[in-house]
Amino acid sequence: MTSAGEPLVTPAPRPYALVAELTYRCPLACAYCSNPLELGDASTELDTATWGRVFREAAELGVLQVNLSGGEPLARSDLEALVAEARASELYVNLITSGIPADAARLERLTRAGLDSLQLSVQDTDAGGAAWIAGRDANESKLRTAATARSLGLPLTLNVVLHRGNIARVPAFVALAEELGATRLELANTQYLGWALENRAALLPSRSALEEARRVAREAAERLRGRIEVLFVLPDYYADLPRACMDGWARRYLVVTPNGLALPCHQATSITTLEWQNVREHALPAIWHESPAFRAFRGEDWLPEPCRSCERRAIDFGGCRCQALALTGDVTATDPACVHAPRHDLVVAARLRADAGSEPVPEAPRPLLKLRRRAAG
């Protein structure tokens, strides 16, 4: 407490990464997409100059890396200019892309503008599986994009979101990473929020499938050590101990949406009890340090029991706030992914249904195509 009896405010930690969601437009319709269930009009996207200011302010805050994301950032006609703006602010510039509609000439222009690395999403190695999850088979385009990135000397990360439909093909994803000369392979199980939660019955794998995939990934990581970094991220539903979402609420990551909302994570707008400030009206450093929404769950002081007494409280910070809200209706609840959480039964029930195969699986996950078209219009 201060001498005036007011509670001390813990200084905000330094952020090190900015996720710049340049657009929600995308040629794919992935059923686990982290974009909002209701997409905004593309005409409200931040312009080039505003993004340039955001990059400068991020650098002033201490951010070292910007991830240009979406939707599909290649849908922005000014992407080369945005890369140059980020480079001018001395940020490490990583492009997160589906590889569509990239071409060799454009990737070369982006590299000349200052692009440092490329992360390519791969939905499946099987054409039918790719179409089932994303609405189309785009594997040939992705292979061309990967080859071009490597020819330009860009470090290449392959990112695969694992789910029931593709988890058996982890050996094929490893082989693809080797074939393409990737420096990193991220095998990240689906995070069940937003669209993924809507489609959980079709996406959540069984424990046996998960364990087999994990075994294959471990063997690959050992065999490829020093050549390709292989990461395998467990789904929260099987981990029993929650992760610090985005390394903890408003501690290391900043997300800025296409229309300018500054957030601590991709799904934070689902928390409607908090007021999210826009970079059009507020400077990014002011939002990071002073915004009540950013301070709401930062650190440990807000934690309820049993988190408040847990020895992991400074490791997971209560887990994911958006997941707690989605499953319990209470953003302040202990993340149900935690085995010690009062509502862990919600997670246990979901994985038991996945193990038993008792939950009906739709022929295809709920499509996003209608919303995509509206967002692009």
Side-chain angles (χ1 to χ4, degrees):
M1 302 289 285
T2 65
S3 58
E6 298 176 353
L8 290 170
V9 176
T10 304
R14 168 185 170 176
Y16 60 71
L18 168 67
V19 179
E21 294 186 322
L22 303 180
T23 181
Y24 287 141
R25 290 172 285 162
C26 186
L28 303 181
C30 299
Y32 47 69
C33 184
S34 63
N35 284 347
L37 298 182
E38 295 296 330
L39 301 182
D41 193 319
S43 66
T44 66
E45 292 174 2
L46 298 180
D47 60 20
T48 311
T50 305
W51 274 118
R53 173 175 61 79
V54 168
F55 297 151
R56 291 190 295 274
E57 292 175 350
E60 292 169 9
L61 266 173
V63 166
L64 301 175
Q65 174 171 320
V66 59
N67 296 310
L68 303 179
S69 182
E72 175 48 64
L74 290 168
R76 293 277 304 221
S77 61
D78 61 346
L79 185 57
E80 290 87 342
L82 293 172
V83 169
E85 289 277 6
R87 168 52 59 206
S89 293
E90 300 183 348
L91 297 172
Y92 183 92
V93 187
N94 179 47
L95 177 64
I96 300 175
T97 177
S98 68
I100 310 167
D103 57 60
R106 191 169 196 205
L107 283 179
E108 186 174 355
R109 293 196 301 272
L110 290 168
T111 303
R112 288 201 306 267
L115 185 65
D116 290 296
S117 61
L118 186 142
Q119 176 177 312
L120 181 66
S121 66
V122 176
Q123 283 69 39
D124 209 321
T125 57
D126 174 78
W132 180 79
I133 196 68
R136 63 185 285 186
D137 169 28
N139 283 349
E140 287 301 318
S141 178
K142 291 174 184 291
L143 294 178
R144 289 194 299 270
T145 297
T148 301
R150 297 301 296 128
S151 71
L152 293 169
L154 292 172
L156 173 66
T157 293
L158 292 189
N159 176 265
V160 181
V161 177
L162 295 178
H163 51 81
R164 190 190 308 189
N166 68 2
I167 197 165
R169 285 187 278 279
V170 167
F173 290 124
V174 173
L176 181 63
E178 292 184 80
E179 176 188 343
L180 296 178
T183 55
R184 182 182 174 97
L185 172 62
E186 297 179 351
L187 299 165
N189 277 273
T190 303
Q191 179 80 1
Y192 292 98
L193 295 167
W195 280 106
L197 185 58
E198 290 279 317
N199 291 312
R200 189 178 67 185
L203 299 177
L204 186 63
S206 67
R207 183 181 291 276
S208 60
L210 178 69
E211 290 303 324
E212 175 60 15
R214 192 181 189 187
R215 181 192 66 78
V216 172
R218 282 174 172 168
E219 290 181 357
E222 185 61 32
R223 177 173 61 84
L224 297 171
R225 191 179 304 278
R227 291 172 50 205
I228 303 176
E229 183 182 12
V230 179
L231 299 180
F232 187 87
V233 182
L234 279 173
D236 287 356
Y237 280 49
Y238 287 101
D240 283 341
L241 292 174
R243 287 187 291 270
C245 184
M246 302 289 282
D247 204 16
W249 181 275
R251 294 184 69 252
R252 297 300 180 197
Y253 284 86
L254 263 164
V255 177
V256 176
T257 68
N259 69 350
L261 293 180
L263 308 171
C265 73
H266 302 79
Q267 293 286 332
T269 53
S270 65
I271 305 174
T272 57
T273 55
L274 297 177
E275 183 177 348
W276 304 108
Q277 295 180 338
N278 197 298
V279 296
R280 286 188 169 104
E281 289 85 38
H282 303 272
L284 201 60
I287 295 174
W288 178 260
H289 289 290
E290 301 168 16
S291 166
F294 271 64
R295 289 162 52 183
F297 302 109
R298 181 181 276 151
E300 307 168 40
D301 294 343
W302 68 273
L303 289 171
E305 294 293 356
C307 290
R308 181 177 291 274
S309 302
C310 180
E311 60 184 14
R312 288 178 51 85
R313 63 185 178 276
I315 298 173
D316 60 42
F317 301 98
C320 178
R321 296 301 84 223
C322 299
Q323 185 157 261
L325 175 63
L327 293 180
T328 72
D330 181 3
V331 70
T332 68
T334 304
D335 186 344
C338 182
V339 70
H340 305 296
R343 294 311 317 271
H344 186 58
D345 63 293
L346 297 170
V347 167
V348 171
R351 69 191 188 199
L352 286 175
R353 287 194 296 271
D355 279 340
S358 60
E359 202 161 352
V361 179
E363 182 177 340
R366 183 176 175 183
L368 305 183
L369 291 174
K370 183 177 180 180
L371 287 177
R372 295 285 190 220
R373 294 191 186 103
R374 190 175 71 222

